[in-house]
């Protein structure tokens, strides 16, 4: 039974599980948990006292694996939908004792094989016993090579501490002993050994104390599938019911937002008066009629459901963009190809509803301010400003300009220059429909070669890509400024690209799945969601217009990012890119997160991947180089990192990714 | 004119060059240098005072590049054989001054294009100005993508110091200013950015003071093509002639042994009485009849030639193995395939000459000692020992055993077991030829399934690969020990594999050239030459025979290597592997460098590559994991590193490389 209804939320995090002990009556265990309101159980599949023959004295007896239940007691769909297997937690593949090590390997492989046979969707792997978990990773990696469907979730405590003093010594908690500790390092080492295998994910164990927010933030770029919330991390409210600290609540909300399922774990710790019922009849108790007994962990589940139900509904725009989350798209080639009507449709159908108002309004504001600056009130009725919209598309900037003229009482003569003949047809219809024939002249031409009959006071364009200059606005406006008056105004007057390092396992794996170099040397437009932003973004390239120096449009920028020390170490899969444009004076438009303008659906961020994820030890600086290179027929970026380690230069000579002129 | 004749040496290091100043009469410059005894010149191609138009005031004048000489003044083969181009040393692609940076990029590209047009074999790139040379590397990398033949040699001073105090401040030396410095780091960063491009190499500048031997050792695994020896690093001998310090001499000898060419650089510093002649007539001096004037740097060349000629001739075995140096071979699959006669031929033709004597002698020694231990003198004439040679091949171990029997006066009954039916034919001929019919019984069978008619006292085998167990000796002997008496002896009684981390650019590039994963997950047999051994080797897996425990033949070993701190940082391309076998008691046989037995041509070392070279900062430990895995039909290795950074696990499940059972 899902935690609740939340408008627009279709993610799996509505489902909540419960961790159970070993029980040999699986149907009863499942029925009890489902009737208690849980959606699935995380259950051991094999008797925890089992050891393989190599570890027992009775060598040679070829006994049957003592499984919790025959595969026949549940239907395949019950196994698959409601049971997550829990691998025996005694296994220790990095034990110094060779017998334990080899026995553990046999057991792990046997249990996974059994779980596969049951068609489970996932199995939980016990946490590594120590940072050095090379043999455990090698064995899991071997298993992953031969497993086609089942997910393996490595259990990792959400823990980062400078010393172990603040970690309560729970002998059964499977936590490591030792000094400074960051469990992320274990996960990182494990998944590097297993090469980011897409079926290897994380199940976090939430403890009663939480590490710093920055260090928790890293996990949102990792493939976390589930979070175990132990009953002993719950507090008790005034009425004796379980509740969570504010920070825990925020964390759980973050999990819900990132499709991470909650699993309640542990024994009842809250004595709710008159409400205590035995968890489950003991094993081998013959008398278990399935009474509709209340599940002892229900109060914890209720509290988690309460957090879920309390969340705001997804905003309409977010809901629309759900399908785009973390989905890699190749950037447009607006100069080489004519945008298909489909593209305009996708953009405009929803832009009209969510975005265009704002986008258009900012242009209107900018044009208004420019008009007022350029035409004093006393000349308003006589002076006619020549305004050219270059790249008019289907007309939004023409409309914004005319509205600005109306708003400010200035007079305009508008040229709408558009190279796509199909868009020109639409423009003609629009002009006719709106009765703009006397004001707007439509020019079907590439702005770079148009021979303008007069010079413009104001040049309005929107040629910006997610990374600002990546759709070649600089080259286009260099061409168009020929017909701008010497003191004429360009809207936008400048734009700047920004990048920041991110952890983005999902994106990295999607790029990697193409198995070639070219995809690792391509920038993607993507609605970033399951990522961790590791440091504030920094400006990369700035272009101002008009530009009369002979500077050219090649650029080189070296940036140094500092990941906050309390984050701990991190893995950088690439760089998220944004832009911010100054349309005119204080009117700006952009998607850089810290100063983004609202509802900018037209532009998702851009993502520059790294061919090999960059491990950044705690406190290290990330040094990045970005180049914008130009040749006669194309423009491209090259990028690399030189600290904390050196990567190859990506996309040399634009071999993999370029924008045609 | 080569430096001299050295028996067996066919490497390019016989040729010595001279670095020249800019001179606009290239034919004269070349004739003067060649007649002076040099084989080639390293010469600027463009007037060093030239700056591209973007850096001059006379913008717009599209002037011709002021080259040292038209391509027509020398024949293409003269250009290609005798001239190495020297790129203008004023360029600085990482200057903070954008004008200098852009002008440098234009100049670099122009000069390389000119050198390409001249069909030069190589150009020298000036050293980076600073550790942060990202833009220089980006530009060179772009050039490399479009250059098909010419080599680019990045000039790097051979220098490593904790502080700059010991580095004489020479304003023209292009050396960096600053504190702790290791020029290898510059090279490493540059080549990582350029992704180990095979046309990017190093030209070392030898200074008057040399860094530690360990740090110099690293360079022998790098693609060093030339070494500039400056006249000011020469000392003066009693007669006033130039000479070099002992350490410099040793270094030069090392260069000769690794095909690194010497280039003499700088002005005359030694006043050799009555012998001083002007180096070259000044530019634009009309009166240069080519007099056979003695070249002013001849004394330096003579000294270098003296060092060359003084070297010992290449040993006969080395000469034979020259063609195998750094050439990757796939390991044998002796169990799955029958060795072709060709393989035996290659082995034995030369083994007879160089190796077999020793190899056979060690087996003879081992069998002798075993026979003496097993049969007291008083029983020598009566006791008949049953000796089985398993994997008898074409008979060398049969012969060694019979010679041992003769030597010790013991009596033998020999079974020669061989699965290759073709080798069996040879064995029959041998037995007939030698008259061994009464002593030797030939068994045409796989030792793992042969049903022996009696049990053996001594089991003799040579099933070892370069890595000891990699040709499945353990599995074979497990099968064969069925017919060994309980107190019987196995020769060898044990064997151990060893590995050590190495820098091996050549091997890495050869593996990479296949452009697939499988080649990076394969071990190769290779005569290692252009490598740097970064730390002493350590034992990996040991197998002892007979083995009656149920231990199995899977193994796991974790090793920690410490690279000597005075080496500085290093790049590990993979691991060199060896074996050492104890035949019987103190009689051993092996190729582990520190205890290798002589003339072991049969076994070249093995090389386990890493998919991505591992950067090891100075003082860091290298943690390596090796697994020997077995399944019903095959045996394979997996390997990975976990410190200083974590690699993927190589060859999971033997997906790329395995040995069939």
């Amino acid at each position: 039974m899902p935690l609740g209804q939340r408008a627009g939320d279709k993610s799996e995090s509505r489902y909540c599980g419960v961790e159970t002990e070993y029980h040999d009556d699986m149907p009863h265990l499942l029925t009890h948990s489902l009737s208690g309101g849980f959606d699935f159980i995380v259950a051991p599949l094999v008797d925890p006292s089992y050891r393989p023959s190599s570890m027992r004295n009775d060598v040679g007896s070829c006994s049957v694996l003592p499984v919790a239940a025959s595969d026949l007691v549940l239907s395949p769909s019950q196994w698959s939908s409601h049971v997550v297997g829990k691998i025996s937690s005694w296994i220790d593949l990095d034990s110094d004792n060779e017998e334990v090590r080899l026995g553990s390997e046999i057991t792990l492989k046997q249990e996974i094989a059994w779980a596969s046979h049951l068609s489970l969707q996932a199995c939980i792997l016990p946490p590594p016993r120590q940072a050095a978990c090379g043999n455990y990773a090698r064995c899991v990696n071997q298993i992953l090579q031969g497993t086609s469907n089942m997910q393996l979730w490595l259990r990792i405590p959400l823990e980062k501490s400078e010393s172990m003093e603040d970690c309560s010594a729970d002998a059964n908690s499977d936590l490591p002993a030792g000094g400074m500790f960051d469990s992320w390092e274990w996960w990182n080492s494990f998944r590097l050994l297993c090469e980011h295998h897409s079926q290897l994910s994380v199940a976090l164990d939430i403890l009663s104390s939480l590490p710093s927010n920055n260090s928790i933030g890293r996990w949102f770029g990792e493939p976390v599938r589930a979070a175990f919330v132990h009953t002993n991390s719950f507090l008790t409210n005034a009425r004796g019911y379980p509740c969570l600290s504010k920070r825990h609540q925020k964390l759980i909300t973050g999990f819900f937002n990132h499709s991470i399922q909650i699993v309640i774990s542990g024994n009842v710790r809250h004595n709710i008066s008159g409400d205590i019922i035995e968890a489950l009849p003991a094993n081998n108790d013959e008398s278990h009629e399935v009474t509709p007994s209340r599940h002892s962990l229900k109060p914890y589940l209720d509290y988690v459901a309460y957090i879920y139900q309390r969340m705001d509904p997804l905003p309409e725009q977010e809901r629309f963009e759900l399908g785009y989350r973390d989905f890699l798209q190749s950037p447009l080639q607006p100069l080489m190809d004519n945008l298909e009507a489909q593209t305009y449709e996708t953009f405009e159908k929803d832009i009209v509803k969510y975005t265009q108002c704002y986008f258009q309004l900012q242009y209107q504001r900018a044009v208004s301010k420019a008009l007022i600056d350029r035409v004093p009130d006393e000349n308003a009725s006589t002076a006619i400003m020549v305004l050219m919209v270059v790249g008019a598309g289907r007309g939004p900037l023409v409309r914004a300009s005319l509205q600005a003229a109306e708003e400010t009482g200035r007079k305009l003569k508008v040229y709408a220059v558009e190279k796509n003949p199909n868009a020109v047809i639409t423009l003609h219809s629009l002009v006719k429909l709106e009765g703009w024939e006397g004001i707007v002249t439509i020019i079907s031409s590439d702005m770079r070669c148009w021979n303008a009959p007069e010079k413009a006071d104001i040049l309005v364009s929107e040629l910006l890509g997610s990374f600002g200059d990546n759709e070649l606005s600089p080259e286009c406006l260099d061409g168009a400024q020929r017909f701008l008056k010497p003191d004429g105004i360009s809207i936008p007057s400048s734009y700047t690209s920004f990048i920041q390092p991110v952890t983005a396992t999902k994106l990295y794996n999607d790029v990697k799945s193409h198995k070639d170099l070219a995809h690792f040397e391509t920038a993607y437009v993507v609605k970033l969601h399951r990522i961790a932003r590791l440091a504030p973004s920094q400006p990369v390239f700035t272009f101002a217009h008009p530009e009369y120096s002979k500077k050219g449009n090649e650029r080189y920028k070296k940036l140094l990012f500092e990941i906050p020390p309390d984050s701990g170490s991190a893995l950088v899969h690439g760089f998220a890119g944004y832009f911010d444009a100054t349309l005119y004076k204080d009117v700006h438009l952009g998607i850089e997160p810290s100063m983004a303008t609202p509802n900018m659906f037209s532009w998702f961020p851009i993502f520059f991947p790294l061919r090999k994820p960059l491990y950044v030890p705690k406190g290290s600086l990330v040094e990045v180089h970005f180049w914008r290179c130009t040749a006669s027929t194309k423009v491209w970026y090259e990028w690399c990192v030189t600290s904390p380690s050196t990567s190859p230069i990506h996309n040399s000579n634009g071999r993999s990714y370029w924008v045609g002129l």
Side-chain angles (χ1 to χ4, degrees), chain A residues 3 6 16 24 129 190 265 307 314 381 513 623:
Chain A
L3 293 171
R6 187 177 166 221
C16 186
D24 62 7
R129 300 292 186 106
F190 206 100
S265 162
I307 297 181
L314 275 184
S381 58
S513 68
E623 187 177 64

mmCIF file of all heavy atoms in Angstrom, chain A residues 3 6 16 24 129 190 265 307 314 381 513 623:
data_model
loop_
_atom_site.group_PDB
_atom_site.id
_atom_site.type_symbol
_atom_site.label_atom_id
_atom_site.label_comp_id
_atom_site.label_asym_id
_atom_site.label_seq_id
_atom_site.Cartn_x
_atom_site.Cartn_y
_atom_site.Cartn_z
ATOM 1 N N LEU A 3 2.601 4.905 0.275
ATOM 2 C CA LEU A 3 2.615 5.816 1.420
ATOM 3 C C LEU A 3 1.525 6.878 1.306
ATOM 4 O O LEU A 3 1.100 7.449 2.308
ATOM 5 C CB LEU A 3 3.974 6.533 1.488
ATOM 6 C CG LEU A 3 5.165 5.630 1.817
ATOM 7 C CD1 LEU A 3 6.463 6.398 1.651
ATOM 8 C CD2 LEU A 3 5.036 5.104 3.234
ATOM 9 N N ARG A 6 0.641 11.623 -4.136
ATOM 10 C CA ARG A 6 1.217 12.951 -4.264
ATOM 11 C C ARG A 6 1.096 13.339 -5.723
ATOM 12 O O ARG A 6 1.575 12.622 -6.601
ATOM 13 C CB ARG A 6 2.690 12.917 -3.850
ATOM 14 C CG ARG A 6 3.309 14.299 -3.790
ATOM 15 C CD ARG A 6 4.750 14.209 -3.300
ATOM 16 N NE ARG A 6 5.421 15.456 -3.555
ATOM 17 C CZ ARG A 6 6.667 15.547 -4.004
ATOM 18 N NH1 ARG A 6 7.384 14.473 -4.238
ATOM 19 N NH2 ARG A 6 7.205 16.730 -4.213
ATOM 20 N N CYS A 16 7.118 1.524 0.534
ATOM 21 C CA CYS A 16 7.961 1.400 1.725
ATOM 22 C C CYS A 16 8.099 -0.067 2.098
ATOM 23 O O CYS A 16 7.128 -0.834 2.047
ATOM 24 C CB CYS A 16 7.326 2.204 2.859
ATOM 25 S SG CYS A 16 8.349 2.272 4.335
ATOM 26 N N ASP A 24 11.170 -19.219 8.299
ATOM 27 C CA ASP A 24 11.020 -20.267 7.288
ATOM 28 C C ASP A 24 9.608 -20.351 6.732
ATOM 29 O O ASP A 24 9.322 -21.203 5.909
ATOM 30 C CB ASP A 24 11.529 -21.616 7.801
ATOM 31 C CG ASP A 24 10.739 -22.082 9.002
ATOM 32 O OD1 ASP A 24 9.733 -21.417 9.337
ATOM 33 O OD2 ASP A 24 11.140 -23.085 9.608
ATOM 34 N N ARG A 129 33.370 -5.314 5.398
ATOM 35 C CA ARG A 129 33.829 -5.310 6.781
ATOM 36 C C ARG A 129 34.933 -4.294 6.994
ATOM 37 O O ARG A 129 35.263 -3.943 8.101
ATOM 38 C CB ARG A 129 34.392 -6.692 7.156
ATOM 39 C CG ARG A 129 33.396 -7.808 7.043
ATOM 40 C CD ARG A 129 32.311 -7.659 8.095
ATOM 41 N NE ARG A 129 31.424 -8.803 8.070
ATOM 42 C CZ ARG A 129 31.429 -9.750 9.001
ATOM 43 N NH1 ARG A 129 32.249 -9.671 10.024
ATOM 44 N NH2 ARG A 129 30.591 -10.763 8.916
ATOM 45 N N PHE A 190 34.583 0.318 -4.062
ATOM 46 C CA PHE A 190 33.859 -0.874 -4.532
ATOM 47 C C PHE A 190 33.361 -0.678 -5.961
ATOM 48 O O PHE A 190 33.546 -1.518 -6.833
ATOM 49 C CB PHE A 190 32.675 -1.132 -3.589
ATOM 50 C CG PHE A 190 32.232 -2.562 -3.530
ATOM 51 C CD1 PHE A 190 32.627 -3.372 -2.488
ATOM 52 C CD2 PHE A 190 31.401 -3.089 -4.503
ATOM 53 C CE1 PHE A 190 32.213 -4.698 -2.412
ATOM 54 C CE2 PHE A 190 30.983 -4.409 -4.448
ATOM 55 C CZ PHE A 190 31.392 -5.213 -3.403
ATOM 56 N N SER A 265 13.579 -0.735 9.597
ATOM 57 C CA SER A 265 14.428 -1.829 10.055
ATOM 58 C C SER A 265 14.517 -1.810 11.575
ATOM 59 O O SER A 265 14.432 -0.746 12.197
ATOM 60 C CB SER A 265 15.810 -1.613 9.419
ATOM 61 O OG SER A 265 16.782 -2.354 10.085
ATOM 62 N N ILE A 307 5.337 11.960 6.588
ATOM 63 C CA ILE A 307 6.313 12.838 5.926
ATOM 64 C C ILE A 307 6.040 12.903 4.431
ATOM 65 O O ILE A 307 6.064 13.967 3.817
ATOM 66 C CB ILE A 307 7.761 12.333 6.163
ATOM 67 C CG1 ILE A 307 8.113 12.382 7.642
ATOM 68 C CG2 ILE A 307 8.760 13.163 5.355
ATOM 69 C CD1 ILE A 307 9.526 11.932 7.939
ATOM 70 N N LEU A 314 4.131 18.210 -6.603
ATOM 71 C CA LEU A 314 5.138 18.643 -7.575
ATOM 72 C C LEU A 314 4.608 19.847 -8.338
ATOM 73 O O LEU A 314 3.473 19.827 -8.811
ATOM 74 C CB LEU A 314 5.417 17.522 -8.581
ATOM 75 C CG LEU A 314 6.440 16.462 -8.216
ATOM 76 C CD1 LEU A 314 6.616 15.519 -9.402
ATOM 77 C CD2 LEU A 314 7.778 17.086 -7.858
ATOM 78 N N SER A 381 7.090 60.613 -30.163
ATOM 79 C CA SER A 381 6.078 60.532 -31.220
ATOM 80 C C SER A 381 6.678 60.681 -32.609
ATOM 81 O O SER A 381 6.051 60.367 -33.604
ATOM 82 C CB SER A 381 5.005 61.591 -30.971
ATOM 83 O OG SER A 381 5.631 62.858 -30.949
ATOM 84 N N SER A 513 27.310 3.620 -21.864
ATOM 85 C CA SER A 513 26.618 2.508 -22.511
ATOM 86 C C SER A 513 26.808 2.529 -24.037
ATOM 87 O O SER A 513 26.604 1.517 -24.689
ATOM 88 C CB SER A 513 25.133 2.536 -22.170
ATOM 89 O OG SER A 513 24.529 3.665 -22.774
ATOM 90 N N GLU A 623 41.129 21.409 -10.896
ATOM 91 C CA GLU A 623 41.539 22.387 -11.910
ATOM 92 C C GLU A 623 41.040 21.919 -13.271
ATOM 93 O O GLU A 623 41.317 20.803 -13.690
ATOM 94 C CB GLU A 623 43.067 22.548 -11.939
ATOM 95 C CG GLU A 623 43.508 23.682 -12.864
ATOM 96 C CD GLU A 623 45.018 23.891 -12.831
ATOM 97 O OE1 GLU A 623 45.770 22.975 -13.234
ATOM 98 O OE2 GLU A 623 45.456 24.967 -12.398
#
